[in-house]
Amino acid sequence: MAFVQPPPELGNQYTADRALRSCLARVLPADVRAEIESGLSAMGELAGGKLYRFQLADRENEPVLTQWDAWGNRIDRVEVTPLWREAERIAAEQGLVATAYERRHGMYSRVHQFALVYLFTPSNDLYSCPLAMTDGAARALIAAGNRALIERAVPHLTSRDPREFWTSGQWMTEATGGSDVGLTETIARREGERWRLYGRKWFTSASTSQMALTLARPEGNPPGGKGLALFYLETRDAQGRPNGILVNRLKHKMGTRKVPTAELTLDGTLAQLVAGTGDGVKNIAPMLNVTRTWNSVSACAYARRGLALARDYAHKRIAFGAPLAEKPLHLDTLAGLEAEFLGALHLTFFVAELMGREESDRASEGQGKLLRALTPIVKLLTGKQVVQILSEVIESFGGAGYVEDTGLPMLLRDAQVLPIWEGTTNVLSLETLRALEAVGGLAVLKREIGIVLREVREPDLVKISAQVERAVEQAEAWIAKARGAELEAGARRFAMTLGRAMELALLARHAQWSLEQEKDQRARSAARRFAAHGVSLLADMDAADSRRLARDD
Ligand code: MFK
């Protein structure tokens, strides 16, 4: 009988995840943790069990657009996959959005919510995309203070009843650019108290939502982001007919193939202003900050899923006389990936903590500024880390990682969207510069790193603290002198350096805590390994070299 390789398996994804449990044990008060633990464990069981098996069985299904019925009526019906239908029910019932708004655990509610999101995401075929936008829409409507729209939509967006639950789209991208949103061509025409929108939205994730927030330029407004207004619309009327929306086609994408991303034509779509006739980019920013945080949580979740499978497989796969888990080079490879994952995890949950504080009015002014500065940094850094980790995870399975019906290639393809949507790495690097300017420079970040490192006492961790401080000083010196093209060209290295410094500081603090409270060396090993990878990416680059290398002329 020919050899048959046992496949990798998953268990309860909460109980098996020592890193998440350890992080929550430090961050959450014991009573909060005790209250939420059974829910997290149930989600971990579902994600590693029934839902994971469902996901593998549902692998080849994709959303389908039917534009016409048999009699020639335009219907534009999008059928999502079976797993997505199930994920919608679970998301509502388990309060994947609601948890953040019910605030049963006050300032810890975001940490609770994002722990659920982290467990759910790798098994939901990116149903987390509409959930992220739904959360973002609720936040943006509340931030805008539009009472009528808050009363109309927020109860649906935050409902735990699948029959009442709505998801929201976030329609920003047009053919002119996903990044330079100020070039938006959609126009808004006033019609009495109402507005009608005309234009083409080029990349609308999750086109099946019941509502959307979108940008359009009221006729007569100036060009650029300030001349756009933020609009609320419902995708269908009370009779279920499309609200002047044509679904031109579904996008044929490299990954996220379960997400029904569509090109839409708005042809007289009825919409309402959310917050005045201008400042659309500014008014949608609260939504962006929420979806960027979901992006970071999803990056951690995908990395964790890949590593969980790779670790299990390493015990089962025998090569050259021993399981891979006993091979020094294989171990070394997985260890490096785990350290990067843990850096991402601690930074992401630190941002979740800050967000929860801010939303429950428990954040100091400094913490509010810190959140503004860190949101683009954590998104851009974790987006890069997850792709690197999953590329290695695929390789750690050898040829099996490259074969579709193992379910592994989908992980890497899906993860590749994380550095792209919600702002590419470069766009967010430039946003980091603007955010730092808005919060008065690096001081707020430097101060926080100082607070975090104050808790570190073990000699090897103190050495790591010094490495963090050197990297921040280097970043400070660089930003003090960089100007113009040099500043822009170095923005990514600068933002990544700050992110890595923050990740390592948080790893060192967690290591100290874990040594004392859990008598566990793993976090210390992670800090040491991450430190060995290096923090600062800053280097003097010659602009003439860059031009010669990047251009053909
Ligand atoms: C599972 C994972 C979940 C992910 C869900 C995925 C769903 C996918 C859906 C999408 O991909 S939707 C498309 C997402 N698109 C983007 O993220 C756009 C990327 N481009 C940018 O972020 C550009 O930098 C930007 C559009 C913001 C540039 O436009 P502008 O007009 O040049 O904006 P500007 O001048 O930087 O900012 C305008 C105002 O907004 C400023 O305020 P003031 O007018 O008072 O000066 C900014 O301070 C403010 N602002 C901008 N970004 C902000 C912000 N305020 C707070 N937070 C921010 N992030």
Side-chain angles (χ1 to χ4, degrees):
M1 173 103 165
F3 169 75
V4 177
Q5 173 62 46
E9 289 166 309
L10 296 171
N12 181 315
Q13 289 302 281
Y14 175 69
T15 52
D17 192 338
R18 290 166 66 166
L20 175 69
R21 286 189 293 118
S22 178
C23 175
L24 296 181
R26 189 179 52 73
V27 170
L28 298 174
D31 59 331
V32 173
R33 196 151 58 94
E35 276 181 48
I36 70 174
E37 200 144 39
S38 65
L40 294 176
S41 183
M43 184 57 90
E45 184 60 37
L46 188 64
K50 202 173 115 198
L51 211 49
Y52 177 54
R53 289 191 294 278
F54 191 169
Q55 191 179 31
L56 291 176
D58 200 39
R59 198 176 49 78
E60 292 197 326
N61 288 322
E62 292 189 8
V64 176
L65 166 66
T66 306
Q67 288 175 308
W68 305 96
D69 75 5
W71 307 102
N73 297 301
R74 185 83 191 243
I75 52 171
D76 287 358
R77 197 179 56 233
V78 177
E79 285 288 331
V80 298
T81 60
L83 187 137
W84 262 50
R85 290 199 291 275
E86 180 68 0
E88 180 168 21
R89 183 190 63 75
I90 296 168
E93 287 176 358
Q94 301 298 317
L96 268 286
V97 177
T99 302
Y101 294 85
E102 292 161 350
R103 300 225 186 109
R104 290 206 186 125
H105 303 290
M107 67 180 185
Y108 300 108
S109 298
R110 278 287 179 189
V111 171
H112 178 198
Q113 176 205 19
F114 282 128
L116 285 168
V117 171
Y118 165 89
L119 293 168
F120 186 38
T121 293
S123 294
N124 72 18
D125 284 347
L126 275 172
Y127 188 74
S128 285
C129 166
L131 294 177
M133 299 188 291
T134 300
D135 189 349
R139 188 85 179 102
L141 290 175
I142 291 168
N146 184 324
R147 284 260 57 94
L149 292 181
I150 292 171
E151 278 165 28
R152 167 77 184 152
V154 173
H156 288 293
L157 301 174
T158 60
S159 175
R160 282 179 181 262
D161 179 348
R163 289 161 306 177
E164 292 295 318
F165 182 56
W166 285 3
T167 58
S168 173
Q170 173 188 343
W171 298 352
M172 294 177 70
T173 304
E174 300 201 359
T176 44
S179 299
D180 192 355
V181 174
L183 294 176
T184 292
E185 292 180 319
T186 298
I187 57 161
R189 205 164 280 155
R190 192 191 281 273
E191 199 178 82
E193 282 305 291
R194 308 183 310 176
W195 293 77
R196 287 195 184 271
L197 309 186
Y198 299 87
R200 188 169 58 149
K201 296 291 173 183
W202 186 243
F203 219 96
T204 60
S205 293
S207 52
T208 45
S209 294
Q210 288 84 351
M211 61 157 279
L213 294 186
T214 192
L215 296 173
R217 195 176 313 282
E219 279 184 317
N221 267 18
K226 283 202 179 304
L228 296 172
L230 179 59
F231 285 92
Y232 164 92
L233 61 88
E234 291 174 16
T235 50
R236 293 189 178 261
D237 67 15
Q239 283 71 45
R241 291 172 304 211
N243 175 12
I245 300 168
L246 295 171
V247 183
N248 303 335
R249 58 177 161 163
L250 295 183
K251 291 289 197 188
H252 192 51
K253 293 166 292 174
M254 168 184 173
T256 67
R257 296 174 71 97
K258 313 287 184 160
V259 182
T261 309
E263 281 171 31
L264 306 177
T265 293
L266 308 185
D267 185 19
T269 306
L270 273 173
Q272 296 176 60
L273 283 170
V274 174
T277 54
D279 275 331
V281 168
K282 188 177 171 133
N283 288 324
I284 206 165
M287 183 172 201
L288 288 178
N289 291 335
V290 169
T291 48
R292 286 172 183 169
T293 308
W294 275 73
N295 203 88
S296 310
V297 175
S298 302
C300 296
Y302 265 73
R304 157 71 198 163
R305 170 58 54 88
L307 287 167
L309 290 166
R311 267 206 296 267
D312 185 66
Y313 190 68
H315 290 289
K316 292 176 169 160
R317 178 69 175 169
I318 314 279
F320 304 110
L324 293 178
E326 289 169 22
K327 298 279 181 189
L329 181 52
H330 197 80
L331 271 184
D332 183 81
T333 308
L334 291 185
L337 303 179
E338 179 74 9
E340 291 292 319
F341 155 66
L342 290 171
L345 182 81
H346 284 285
L347 179 56
T348 298
F349 274 87
F350 178 70
V351 167
E353 239 185 297
L354 287 176
M355 201 169 171
R357 272 185 177 275
E358 192 184 51
E359 289 174 354
S360 51
D361 297 325
R362 297 286 295 274
S364 62
E365 194 192 341
Q367 285 169 328
K369 289 179 175 176
L370 187 62
L371 179 61
R372 171 81 168 92
L374 278 179
T375 302
I377 292 175
V378 65
K379 192 286 186 183
L380 74 89
L381 179 56
T382 57
K384 282 301 193 202
Q385 285 173 311
V386 65
V387 172
Q388 203 182 353
I389 290 169
L390 285 175
S391 173
E392 288 284 356
V393 161
I394 296 294
E395 190 178 335
S396 78
F397 285 89
Y402 208 64
V403 170
E404 285 295 339
D405 52 7
T406 59
L408 295 165
M410 192 166 82
L411 282 174
L412 179 58
R413 276 203 306 270
D414 283 356
Q416 183 61 67
V417 82
L418 297 169
I420 297 176
W421 65 12
E422 297 306 329
T424 62
T425 311
N426 284 357
V427 165
L428 289 176
S429 299
L430 299 175
E431 160 64 9
T432 301
L433 297 181
R434 283 192 298 269
L436 282 174
E437 207 176 308
V439 304
L442 266 183
V444 65
L445 201 70
K446 213 176 151 192
R447 184 172 168 274
E448 189 64 27
I449 286 178
I451 293 170
V452 168
L453 293 180
R454 223 180 280 153
E455 294 178 36
V456 170
R457 283 175 293 280
E458 285 290 310
D460 57 339
L461 299 176
V462 169
K463 251 172 80 184
I464 285 172
S465 302
Q467 185 183 352
V468 172
E469 279 158 356
R470 275 196 307 277
V472 176
E473 278 160 20
Q474 205 184 341
E476 207 175 16
W478 182 82
I479 193 87
K481 74 172 181 44
R483 294 286 175 276
E486 190 199 349
L487 180 65
E488 180 165 335
R492 179 199 283 223
R493 285 183 286 274
F494 172 73
M496 302 263 275
T497 297
L498 294 179
R500 291 190 68 78
M502 196 71 207
E503 286 191 356
L504 185 54
L506 293 167
L507 279 175
R509 176 174 74 176
H510 191 72
Q512 181 73 47
W513 176 88
S514 183
L515 283 169
E516 288 168 10
Q517 304 297 322
E518 301 179 314
K519 311 287 176 241
D520 192 340
Q521 297 278 345
R522 286 166 61 90
R524 170 192 246 166
S525 302
R528 291 208 292 230
R529 180 63 189 243
F530 191 100
H533 292 173
V535 178
S536 177
L537 304 174
L538 288 164
D540 285 331
M541 298 289 174
D542 188 299
D545 280 348
S546 301
R547 271 195 302 277
R548 271 192 292 274
L549 290 168
R551 299 205 313 215
D552 281 335
D553 50 335

